[in-house]
């Protein structure tokens, strides 16, 4: 292990030296707050007399004085390269109009590329973007990952902020960066790298839990491996995390730490999992710690791989879960489901169906009661038996009352306007009444709104139009307001333009508009409930009963899940 005090200029100023960020490291993750902190520090240092210290950078020596892998400091190194591109570009343009000493080609050869030697290589899936936008200085690139977007944004952010400053200040900032002090720590191999796992980023983002557990495992491999197996075991962990980080960059819905939590919910401590200490407790209690780490890393890779599969799946009930917005308790069940079912889409879809019913009830009722603790027993007991899982959900939901059959009926039978699942429910009802069983699959209508067939309020204070059930004073009675106005029988999906066009017109005119614009069957079916072109309590009650008893209650019953 070698500690080398140097400067930013000394770190880069070699025709052959270059740095590689291995793919098991986190991709570029700094954002505007980090970039602004970086610039603020520089401007403060320019105005002061003290030397600027940029912290420690930790490298694994691949080829002495030529090739180094970045173990710690990848965010700062990447930011430096982006900053150099930005300030070189700004000064290059100004030099065309102003007279000052500055050689952009020399700076590019020091910090970005000398002949064919690219000075910094980021994670391989971002390298093409980095070379195009930063090394070659091109303005556009078709970004494909969040980290590529951040690289491009960082460059544009620095150029925008630097353009606000006088040229003399920019030259002072460039000189200050070049003189900035750092300590380069060079390690001989993976074994030594593991010993330094506690090093943290300086003035950057905190390490993610994924990075912490990766480093912790590498260190434990050093502690518990036999001498002849240490290097290979440490490399084993880094290679598994290399595969994981390749997957992370493709994930569409979850970040790396969320997947780690859901994996630990599934396999470590159920929903009682809280921190990395829970993982460490399991490791300490294990008899063969090297094997335990390898098994955990392998399982974690599998979970990430399966979450990626979930991202790309179009299973029917998974699409429904997405439309409901998937709550956190779903993912551990899915992770275990993939373990037991592999790519058996039929069984996975059955699992999603059970979970869709649970999520619908959870969101419909929105109780303050703690659902997740009640699900822990179900999660830990889940071993791939879908019949048992369905029974467990049914029993637990009814035992808890809050999300049981009676409670669901009570909510569906009551005030439903503005309930978070109302639109979803009405789309599912639309599927139910479509001709020949045609599934519109939660379609969409322009500026989707909820229509009150009996209007909520008169327009501009005018009396209610004709055709609605009102008192002799032309107002709704108390019973109507409490029991009918905002119930399912009086609510319907409609486009914003249609809703605006009908307002609170007479019901006969409204009914005609439904017939003339039958965008959805639930609009066309209103005629079946009218009484001499009037919309009454009986009309609303009959439609309400049909939606409630002949559709919703059966649709979201756990008994409705077909388990084969």
């Amino acid at each position: 292990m070698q500690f080398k005090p140097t400067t930013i200029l000394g770190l880069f100023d070699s025709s052959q030296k270059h740095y590689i960020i291995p793919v098991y490291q986190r991709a570029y993750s700094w954002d505007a707050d980090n970039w602004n902190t970086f610039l603020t520090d520089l401007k403060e240092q320019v105005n002061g007399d003290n030397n600027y210290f940029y912290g420690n950078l930790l490298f694994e020596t691949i080829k002495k004085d030529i090739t180094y892998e970045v173990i710690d400091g990848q965010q700062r190194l990447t930011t430096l390269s982006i900053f150099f591109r930005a300030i070189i570009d700004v000064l290059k343009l100004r030099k065309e109009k102003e007279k000052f000493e500055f050689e952009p080609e020399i700076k590019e050869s020091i910090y970005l590329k000398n002949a064919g030697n690219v000075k910094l290589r980021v994670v391989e899936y971002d390298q093409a973007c980095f070379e195009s936008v930063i090394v070659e200085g091109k303005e556009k690139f078709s970004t494909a990952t969040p980290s590529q977007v951040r690289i491009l944004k960082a460059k544009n952010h620095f150029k925008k902020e630097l353009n606000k400053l006088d040229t003399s200040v920019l030259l002072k900032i460039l000189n200050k960066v070049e003189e900035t002090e750092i300590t380069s720590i060079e390690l001989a191999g993976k074994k030594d790298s593991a010993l330094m796992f506690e090093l943290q980023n300086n003035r950057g983002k905190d390490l993610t839990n994924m990075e912490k557990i990766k480093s912790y495992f590498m260190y434990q491999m050093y502690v518990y491996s036999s001498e002849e197996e240490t290097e290979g075991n440490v490399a084993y962990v880094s290679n598994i995390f290399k595969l994981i980080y390749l997957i992370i960059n493709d994930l569409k819905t979850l970040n790396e730490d969320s997947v780690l939590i859901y994996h630990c919910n599934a396999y470590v401590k159920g929903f009682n999992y809280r921190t990395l200490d829970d993982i460490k407790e399991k490791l300490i209690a294990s008899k063969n710690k090297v094997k335990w780490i390898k098994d955990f890393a392998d399982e974690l890779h599998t979970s990430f791989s399966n979450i990626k599969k979930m991202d790309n799946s179009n299973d029917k009930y998974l699409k429904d879960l997405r439309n409901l917005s998937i709550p956190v308790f779903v993912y551990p069940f899915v992770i275990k489901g993939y373990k037991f079912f592999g790519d058996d889409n039929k069984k996975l879809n059955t699992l999603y169906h059970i979970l869709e019913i649970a999520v619908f009830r959870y969101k419909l009722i929105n109780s303050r009661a703690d659902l997740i603790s009640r699900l822990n027993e179900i999660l830990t007991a889940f071993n791939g038996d879908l019949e048992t899982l369905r029974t467990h959900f049914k029993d637990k939901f009814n035992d808890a009352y809050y999300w049981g059959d009676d409670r669901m009926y009570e909510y569906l039978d009551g005030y439903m306007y503005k309930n978070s699942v109302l639109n979803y429910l009405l789309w599912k009802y639309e599927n139910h009444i479509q001709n020949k069983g045609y599934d519109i699959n939660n379609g969409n209508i322009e500026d989707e709104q909820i229509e009150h067939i009996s209007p909520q309020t008169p327009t501009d204070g005018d009396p209610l139009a004709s055709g609605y059930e009102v008192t002799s004073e032309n107002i709704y009675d108390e019973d109507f307001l409490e029991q009918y106005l905002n119930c399912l029988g009086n609510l319907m999906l409609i486009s914003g333009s249609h809703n605006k066009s009908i307002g609170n017109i007479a019901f006969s005119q409204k009914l005609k508009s439904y017939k003339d614009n039958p965008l959805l069957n639930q609009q066309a079916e209103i005629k079946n409930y009218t009484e001499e072109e009037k919309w009454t309590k009986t009309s609303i009650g009959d439609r309400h009963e049909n939606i409630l008893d002949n559709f919703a209650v059966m649709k979201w019953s756990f008994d409705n899940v077909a388990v084969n």
Side-chain angles (χ1 to χ4, degrees):
M1 184 184 302
Q2 291 184 314
F3 289 76
K4 290 185 176 181
T6 184
T7 62
I8 297 295
L9 177 61
L11 189 72
F12 283 95
D13 193 14
S14 167
S15 61
Q16 296 186 66
K17 187 183 293 185
H18 59 275
Y19 303 94
I20 300 171
I21 299 174
V23 75
Y24 64 79
Q25 296 283 27
R26 177 172 52 170
Y28 190 59
S29 63
W30 275 21
D31 54 24
D33 288 340
N34 302 104
W35 306 330
N36 287 329
T37 298
F38 174 83
L39 286 174
T40 299
D41 285 350
L42 285 177
K43 286 186 279 189
E44 289 177 353
Q45 293 299 320
V46 166
N47 296 325
D49 297 324
N50 296 326
N51 292 331
Y52 185 32
F53 181 64
Y54 203 48
N56 301 318
L57 298 175
L58 180 61
F59 304 108
E60 179 185 342
T61 304
I62 305 301
K63 188 173 183 180
K64 186 69 174 175
D65 295 327
I66 296 179
T67 305
Y68 296 88
E69 278 197 355
V70 183
I71 305 302
D72 184 75
Q74 69 268 30
Q75 304 297 325
R76 286 171 286 150
L77 271 180
T78 306
T79 300
L80 278 172
S81 296
I82 296 170
F83 172 81
F84 279 124
R85 167 49 65 199
I87 198 167
I88 288 170
D89 286 353
V90 172
L91 288 172
K92 187 189 295 186
L93 282 176
R94 292 194 184 181
K95 192 177 180 183
E96 296 175 1
K97 300 177 182 179
E98 306 174 33
K99 291 184 179 180
F100 58 91
E101 187 176 341
F102 177 70
E103 298 296 334
E105 294 81 8
I106 292 177
K107 298 301 182 185
E108 287 176 335
S109 68
I110 293 173
Y111 297 109
L112 299 172
K113 184 179 181 180
N114 187 297
N117 180 37
V118 176
K119 294 302 185 74
L120 176 65
R121 293 186 176 276
V122 297
V123 289
E124 60 188 43
Y125 45 80
D126 288 342
Q127 183 60 24
C129 171
F130 185 79
E131 283 202 41
S132 176
V133 173
I134 305 304
V135 178
E136 301 298 336
K138 296 179 181 179
E139 293 302 317
K140 294 182 179 180
F141 186 87
S142 297
T143 54
T145 68
S147 44
Q148 290 175 13
V149 172
R150 284 189 284 268
I151 288 169
L152 188 57
K153 283 186 175 180
K155 173 186 170 182
N156 293 334
H157 181 86
F158 283 143
K159 290 176 72 171
K160 177 183 176 182
E161 296 302 316
L162 292 172
N163 268 316
K164 297 176 182 178
L165 304 176
D166 293 339
T167 299
S168 60
V169 176
L170 292 181
L171 292 171
K172 289 179 182 178
I173 287 176
L174 178 58
N175 184 62
K176 176 62 70 171
V177 172
E178 292 184 323
E179 293 178 351
T180 292
E181 297 176 353
I182 63 166
T183 298
S184 170
I185 306 172
E186 298 179 13
L187 307 172
K190 292 283 189 299
K191 177 179 174 181
D192 286 344
S193 301
L195 290 173
M196 298 296 291
F197 84 101
E198 289 182 317
L199 277 173
Q200 302 285 310
N201 288 341
N202 179 47
R203 293 308 298 270
K205 284 190 171 183
D206 290 338
L207 295 177
T208 66
N209 283 331
M210 277 290 291
E211 289 173 312
K212 291 176 182 177
I213 202 63
K214 173 198 70 179
S215 299
Y216 176 76
F217 281 164
M218 291 172 68
Y219 177 70
Q220 296 304 315
M221 281 300 202
Y222 171 83
V223 172
Y224 291 107
S225 297
S226 60
E227 185 174 353
E228 64 273 13
E229 293 180 341
T230 300
E231 193 75 25
N233 286 340
V234 172
Y236 184 92
V237 173
S238 68
N239 287 333
I240 290 292
F241 277 85
K242 172 182 176 179
L243 297 175
I244 290 174
Y245 273 90
L246 284 171
I247 295 170
I248 286 170
N249 216 49
D250 292 331
L251 295 183
K252 301 172 184 175
T253 54
L254 298 175
N255 62 41
E256 61 197 73
D257 279 354
S258 293
V259 179
L260 176 62
I261 289 171
Y262 302 143
H263 173 84
C264 293
N265 290 149
Y267 299 123
V268 174
K269 210 172 182 180
F271 290 117
N272 293 323
Y273 171 81
R274 291 294 178 266
T275 69
L276 298 182
D277 288 338
D278 293 331
I279 300 175
K280 295 174 183 178
E281 284 180 10
K282 289 281 188 180
L283 173 61
I284 292 169
S286 65
K287 294 181 179 180
N288 186 333
K289 293 177 174 53
V290 169
K291 182 179 183 301
W292 192 94
I293 291 172
K294 287 184 176 181
D295 289 345
F296 184 95
D298 287 341
E299 286 272 20
L300 185 61
H301 170 252
T302 299
S303 290
F304 272 93
S305 178
N306 288 333
I307 289 296
K308 180 179 176 180
K309 289 181 182 179
M310 180 184 178
D311 273 348
N312 296 318
S313 171
N314 286 312
D315 284 345
K316 177 176 182 277
Y317 285 103
L318 175 57
K319 291 166 74 174
D320 288 343
L321 281 167
R322 289 174 181 144
N323 286 325
L324 279 168
S325 184
I326 302 176
V328 296
F329 68 76
V330 164
Y331 292 101
F333 285 100
V334 173
I335 285 173
K336 294 188 82 170
Y338 269 103
K339 176 181 179 178
F340 296 125
F341 308 140
D343 294 325
D344 188 331
N345 287 335
K346 185 176 181 180
K347 289 185 177 179
L348 286 169
N349 203 47
T350 301
L351 171 62
Y352 291 137
H353 190 182
I354 295 170
L355 293 169
E356 185 263 351
I357 293 171
V359 172
F360 177 84
R361 293 184 178 211
Y362 171 69
K363 290 181 176 288
L364 167 73
I365 296 164
N366 194 27
S367 171
R368 293 184 180 181
D370 180 10
L371 173 65
I372 290 181
S373 65
R374 291 173 168 86
L375 293 179
N376 197 51
E377 181 182 348
I378 303 176
L379 176 64
T380 54
F382 178 40
N383 61 1
D385 186 330
L386 289 168
E387 179 65 52
T388 299
L389 182 69
R390 179 184 65 173
T391 301
H392 280 176
F393 265 102
K394 177 183 177 180
D395 292 346
K396 183 62 70 173
F397 271 44
N398 281 291
D399 288 347
Y401 166 70
Y402 302 102
W403 308 276
D405 295 341
D406 292 342
R407 188 69 162 162
M408 180 180 73
Y409 191 96
E410 179 184 330
Y411 265 75
L412 291 171
D413 194 33
Y415 186 108
M416 278 297 292
Y417 183 55
K418 293 188 177 180
N419 189 288
S420 65
V421 301
L422 176 59
N423 290 56
Y424 176 79
L425 182 154
L426 290 175
W427 276 116
K428 289 303 169 188
Y429 177 65
E430 184 65 28
N431 286 341
H432 176 69
I433 61 175
Q434 280 288 327
N435 293 329
K436 298 180 182 179
Y438 176 67
D439 188 346
I440 61 173
N441 209 7
N442 277 46
N444 59 75
I445 50 181
E446 185 179 354
D447 186 22
E448 179 180 310
Q449 295 182 10
I450 298 294
E451 154 81 337
H452 281 77
I453 303 169
S454 276
Q456 287 179 282
T457 55
T459 303
D460 298 327
D462 295 333
L464 280 165
S466 62
Y468 306 105
E469 184 157 327
V470 294
T471 66
S472 57
E473 288 82 19
N474 201 44
I475 60 173
Y476 297 135
D477 63 26
E478 186 175 338
D479 179 57
F480 187 92
L481 291 172
E482 291 183 358
Q483 302 296 327
Y484 292 89
L485 181 63
N486 293 294
C487 75
L488 285 174
N490 194 47
L491 303 174
M492 181 175 65
L493 288 170
I494 197 170
S495 69
S497 58
H498 189 178
N499 198 16
K500 184 177 180 180
S501 70
I502 57 179
N504 297 332
I505 61 176
F507 178 70
S508 59
Q509 295 175 273
K510 185 178 283 193
L511 182 62
K512 183 177 184 302
S513 80
Y514 295 158
K515 294 176 181 178
D516 292 343
N517 299 279
L519 185 62
L520 301 176
N521 273 8
Q522 60 194 266
Q523 295 170 16
E525 74 164 1
I526 296 302
K527 65 180 185 297
N528 301 330
Y529 296 99
T530 60
E531 297 181 347
E532 298 178 352
E533 294 197 338
K534 291 183 179 180
W535 190 246
T536 65
K537 289 181 180 180
T538 301
S539 303
I540 297 172
D542 288 348
R543 182 170 180 263
H544 177 81
E545 182 179 347
N546 181 49
I547 297 175
L548 178 62
D549 294 331
N550 297 329
F551 168 66
V553 169
M554 294 186 292
K555 166 72 176 171
W556 286 288
S557 167
F558 287 107
D559 291 331
N560 188 38
V561 181
V563 179
N564 298 321

